Amino acid sequence: MKIYLLGLAYTIVGMQALYAQNLADSLAFEAYLNEVVVEVKHASSSSMPLALPSQEVNGLWLQKYRAGSLMQSLESLAGVQAMPVGATLSKPMIRGLGFNRIAVVQNGIKHQGQQWGADHGLEINQYAPNLFYVHQGPMSLQIGSDAIGGVLEVESVCSKPKDGVNGDLYLYGGTNNGLLGSVISLDYQRNKNYWSLQMGYQTTTDYKVPTDEFNYLNGQYHLNKGILKNTASRELSVNTVWSKQGKRLNSRLLVSFINSKIGFFAGAHGIPSSIDLARPKSKRSIELPHQRVGHYKAIYNGDYTFNFKNQVFWDLGIQFNDRAEFAKPHSHDDAPLPTTNKELSLKLATTSLNGRWLYKLNRKNHISLGINSELQYNRIGGYSFLIPNYNQSAIGFYLADKYYFRDNLSMSLGVRYDLGHLNVSPYTDMSFDEQYQQRAIALDKVFHDYSFSWGVAWDINHSWSLKSNIGKSFRMPGVNELSVNGVHHGTFRHELGNPNLKPEKSYQWDLNIDYKQKEWLEVLTLNAFINYFPNYIYLNPSGNFSWLPDAGQYFEYAESRVFRWGLELMGTVNLTKTLVWHPQLAYVHAEDMKSKYPIPFTPPLDLSNELGFHKSEVLGLEDFYIGFTHQYKGAQNRVARNELKTQFASLFNLASRITLPLKSSFIKLNFQAQNLLNTTSYNHLSFYRYLNIPEMGRTFRLEFQYSF
Amino acid sequence: MKKSLYLSLALIAFPLFTSCNDDDDKGKDTQGPKITLYTPADGQHMHKGDELIVKFQLADESGIQSYKLDIHSAAGHTHEHDDHVHTRAEELKNWSYQKVYTDMKGQKEADVQLDLGKVPTDIKGGDYHLGVLATDSFGNETQHFITIEVE
């Protein structure tokens, strides 16, 4: 906190020496980064030219749909889901696939945290200036393992249309969870040199839900005024980017860190007791149990152009994810009580090195030859056990070709081979009886698999465009899936790993159709997919009970044949010059072909309609917008065994913004009212779903932005 | 005219999809066995050395696969409150009793009486959780826990 205040003071002093900025330029820059590009063409900064449906959004779009965390903001995109743990932490899911089945790639480097786990949130701040691309479909060709469902690509903005100094100061707050935050952003560009720095800090109190009671395991628990005790949080993030564009050599360096402390609702770490739920304490203090996460990154990208035909790209990344969970010491029956509050410590260090050679054979034919490599070290600590120590290395080689038959018709084809080595250390927990002491077995495994992707992109005419892609992706089984034996501290299930698991494979066909019509239908997009897994790995109930105290039946990681299909339908309709309608629909169907049960964590039907009014100038103010959204989340009655069904939810949101132009800067106000009617709703994907705790109640959010 | 056509198409899609969802409701069994615990009662007070008999009924359309009786300390695992932890003499251990039964063989309904003998005398007093857990032939699980006070 002190460091941040110092930096802020320094910046305020520095601001006085800054250039005056032409307001027109600022607005031009805003227009330069369009609000939302719903068409599925890629912008040049994405290096993943596949014939797959993608959605690109920027900071302006995020500002409009802002929610408690990056993924919760991105959830407004069709086919994208957030799996929330409370109000400020959530993990990504694309078309019902999450955990290790989607990859988050920042500046070309795969983001590595403990994403295999449920009580994990994506460690990326939503205020740093980035472009976001959501690619829906199998992406193993460029990424390797873990991109079966899709990729969230995060790219640092590293150039502006005009030289000079710019800055933004954001101050934001919200009701319901006492959200208070500020971000200061500075960037400087001169002669193709660019530098930017963001520092942000935010804090929240416990959050409120629209109910005073919830039931769990036959017990009825009372919530004082709907407050979920100990769900407060705080987060500090610093992000800096330097980039230089040369004649032949371009460089970009990103250094960032994010540090958060998030309280867990007491009930999620054991059977809630009425004492915990009513205990009075400061609203912002974070007691036990809580999670502390630090994620540190340094990523260097470079590219060198030899000539028109040859260009090489390389990425070098180092990251460190430091996660710890703290809970009141507890032990099994007669084992001695731990002397520390540190229940779990997971330290994951990852180094990555990528290289790609782009060979433009001619104007029509672009060939890429690439290599990805990654090295990971996971070290554990704490008095509880979740996953063992492991070292993992992976290398992948790919060859991809993009061939333009004509300017409007191209084909992409690529193949890839991956090789991985996993070394798991055994773990013995002496606090258990002899038969249960081996919590993880030693493993030394080599995995290898191939991937391919073959697609066509066709701009048929002014109105119609089409993309079709067939792909095969894979993922290496996770350490938890292979090796663990014991009760998971978050889910309370006795999980049994299976050391014989093979890499999970997926075959998918994607279709994308866009229809545009100049007069009033700006665009109507249909994305559809069918997906087959010959060996989808997930936990299956065995029916046989574990002999451990407070443990139910054994859940075993097993391979199953799974069939999935789904679609997204979205449109932008200009009803009048100022009134826009955005309808959006997303649906996923996933089933185990043998047992005929649905797959767990399948998102329900999502239907939303947004009606927005926009006026570029009103009463001397600019860019006025007010929009009303109705979101319908269907019931999810298609559940796996031992998964709760979830009733449908109908929610109303309101968003508005206005800009006040000043002499050489501007002030922007962004307002949101989420869950306007304070409806009690349940999120099928929420970490707290099994406790029957509803989602946040009515929340008002105001964001003030001063831009210069 | 085109505008209203698209508008009505989108609105029509709404109930079409909701009815699709409802049809799937008649699918697979996701309901675990019904557990009716007759004795002991929730909050029951017991003494060390008392006879302990647990009586309950299990019922499931898909047949019962397995069941388990679990007695463990209410303060010994992941509870946040420690107001009831009694730190007495080190010789006294927490009572921990787990037994798994696989004698159902797919029965759809059963009355079970478990004679656990006497409550041990060399255990710590305090609150304990007593639970009956059961699975059906598909692996659907239900748990029913009560709290008993042992003196």
Side-chain angles (χ1 to χ4, degrees), chain A residues 293-406:
Chain A
V293 183
H295 197 97
Y296 310 86
K297 253 187 211 190
I299 298 175
Y300 174 70
N301 310 106
D303 68 86
Y304 188 84
T305 307
F306 289 95
N307 50 43
F308 168 72
K309 286 194 180 204
N310 293 284
Q311 193 178 9
V312 286
F313 300 80
W314 62 92
D315 313 304
L316 172 64
I318 301 172
Q319 54 187 305
F320 181 57
N321 183 286
D322 185 358
R323 181 170 134 192
E325 276 168 27
F326 298 85
K328 244 194 191 127
H330 54 273
S331 61
H332 305 280
D333 300 320
D334 303 313
L337 264 189
T339 50
T340 163
N341 283 337
K342 192 184 267 195
E343 181 186 2
L344 206 58
S345 164
L346 298 168
K347 294 189 205 280
L348 181 68
T350 309
T351 54
S352 322
L353 180 60
N354 302 332
R356 177 165 73 103
W357 172 32
L358 177 63
Y359 178 60
K360 292 182 188 166
L361 182 67
N362 51 46
R363 203 173 57 91
K364 288 185 172 198
N365 208 345
H366 299 171
I367 301 171
S368 288
L369 186 63
I371 182 169
N372 298 108
S373 64
E374 194 181 69
L375 207 60
Q376 288 188 340
Y377 297 94
N378 185 66
R379 296 292 176 264
I380 63 169
Y383 62 78
S384 267
F385 174 78
L386 204 54
I387 54 166
N389 287 331
Y390 68 85
N391 298 343
Q392 186 171 301
S393 58
I395 190 160
F397 307 92
Y398 66 90
L399 176 65
D401 183 22
K402 185 153 183 175
Y403 183 78
Y404 287 86
F405 293 102
R406 295 195 287 278

Side-chain angles (χ1 to χ4, degrees), chain A residues 565-622:
Chain A
W565 61 267
L567 62 103
E568 292 106 38
L569 187 62
M570 45 234 202
T572 302
V573 182
N574 296 317
L575 296 171
T576 71
K577 274 211 176 102
T578 52
L579 210 57
V580 181
W581 173 41
H582 281 293
Q584 198 163 282
L585 182 148
Y587 183 68
V588 173
H589 190 280
E591 187 173 286
D592 182 319
M593 292 166 86
K594 185 171 172 199
S595 72
K596 301 281 192 274
Y597 276 99
I599 300 301
F601 296 118
T602 301
L605 171 76
D606 195 339
L607 178 66
S608 80
N609 281 287
E610 180 190 322
L611 200 60
F613 172 79
H614 181 252
K615 212 147 199 244
S616 50
E617 211 189 309
V618 57
L619 301 173
L621 302 168
E622 305 196 353

Side-chain angles (χ1 to χ4, degrees), chain A residues 5 26 101 147 155 157 196 292 294 324 360 370 383 408 558:
Chain A
L5 284 173
S26 306
R101 295 191 177 94
E155 280 286 316
V157 165
S196 86
R292 252 194 244 156
K360 292 182 188 166
Y383 62 78
N408 65 342

